[in-house]
Amino acid sequence: MAEDIWNLIALVSQAKEELRGCGITTLTIERDFFQLLELAKSKQGLEYQHFDPHRIPQLKKRGFWICGRNEQDEIVHFQGCRHDDLGDGNLEDYMADIWPRLNSGIPVWDLPIARDVTGAAVYHGSLWIRKDLRRNTAGTWATRLGMLLAHGEYNADAIYGTATQQLALSPYGLSQGYSIAQPIALDWVEPSPWGNYWCFIVPNAHVQRLLRAGFEQYAPSK
């Protein structure tokens, strides 16, 4: 619907303005995931397996990442979105298949909230904000912006992400706009540095309602 497009534009503008107030003044959409991998290693010392073009086929055609800079043109924020075709299965089947290929350890899945998600979904994650800007609502609005742009780009059946239990139970974790969450979505048969995770999902129909209602229904993260 045309009004949903206007609502999406308005919420994206709101998110960008909120982030500008937090010190992230310039935001761009990027497709070069090799650059994202280099940034992740230099800024965090991590490998972003879920956005590794060596492991994910045609990633440049099925994903994007957001780059945020401050007034000094320093990169202070990034996050990624990846479009996943679920084939004949559901999101639980897809995650159970892809995670062992992308992560160390052997995960055991228990993800009933993902069984109703079929067709296509967008993985949203690997969000980083420079430490001195992790205040007020920067993390909240950065996550919301990624969700909104993922919806605008792909209009998938759902958007999903994962988070550690500590993050999931924090005010930040509960204020993003994701409408369905499940604790301890996976455990590990073999040791892994990733520990236990929660899974967050927002179905397409929930995004449509969010576009009409706005983010006021979610408690802000301070």
Side-chain angles (χ1 to χ4, degrees):
M1 296 176 60
E3 62 184 29
D4 286 341
I5 297 175
W6 283 117
N7 291 336
L8 177 63
I9 293 171
L11 288 177
V12 167
S13 297
Q14 180 185 6
K16 291 176 65 178
E17 190 61 28
E18 293 284 350
L19 289 171
R20 176 178 291 275
C22 295
I24 304 174
T25 57
T26 303
L27 292 152
T28 56
I29 302 296
E30 308 291 342
R31 306 282 178 175
D32 183 353
F33 284 94
F34 291 104
Q35 182 185 4
L36 178 61
L37 292 186
E38 292 177 0
L39 282 173
K41 290 180 181 179
S42 65
K43 303 292 187 183
Q44 294 180 283
L46 296 177
E47 294 185 7
Y48 280 5
Q49 294 95 327
H50 291 269
F51 295 103
D52 186 342
H54 297 293
R55 307 187 191 198
I56 306 294
Q58 297 184 323
L59 183 57
K60 188 174 183 178
K61 295 181 179 180
R62 52 183 281 205
F64 65 88
W65 59 280
I66 300 169
C67 182
R69 291 176 167 84
N70 62 11
E71 289 184 344
Q72 291 73 42
D73 202 36
E74 299 167 325
I75 295 177
V76 295
H77 163 62
F78 48 78
Q79 61 178 300
C81 294
R82 184 193 72 221
H83 184 266
D84 295 330
D85 184 348
L86 306 181
D88 296 328
N90 57 35
L91 182 57
E92 183 186 46
D93 298 329
Y94 181 84
M95 294 178 73
D97 174 66
I98 194 171
W99 269 65
R101 295 189 278 116
L102 299 181
N103 298 281
S104 59
I106 303 176
V108 176
W109 286 96
D110 179 22
L111 203 55
I113 64 171
R115 293 171 191 163
D116 292 333
V117 178
T118 58
V122 175
Y123 175 75
H124 175 210
S126 300
L127 183 147
W128 173 81
I129 297 175
R130 202 172 71 181
K131 189 174 182 178
D132 60 307
L133 300 181
R134 297 173 196 171
R135 63 182 187 273
N136 298 323
T137 57
T140 295
W141 284 104
T143 304
R144 291 172 175 177
L145 177 65
M147 181 193 304
L148 292 168
L149 293 178
H151 175 73
E153 176 85 0
Y154 300 112
N155 194 26
D157 296 281
I159 303 169
Y160 72 105
T162 56
T164 63
Q165 180 164 290
Q166 179 181 3
L167 184 61
L169 294 177
S170 70
Y172 166 79
L174 299 173
S175 63
Q176 309 313 306
Y178 283 94
S179 53
I180 302 173
Q182 180 189 314
I184 316 299
L186 63 87
D187 206 340
W188 299 91
V189 174
E190 296 182 358
S192 170
W194 303 105
N196 292 330
Y197 268 63
W198 283 44
C199 182
F200 289 83
I201 296 174
V202 55
N204 187 284
H206 292 193
V207 179
Q208 299 291 343
R209 288 200 294 270
L210 176 63
L211 293 179
R212 298 181 181 94
F215 286 107
E216 286 73 15
Q217 60 190 303
Y218 298 98
S221 172
K222 297 294 185 182

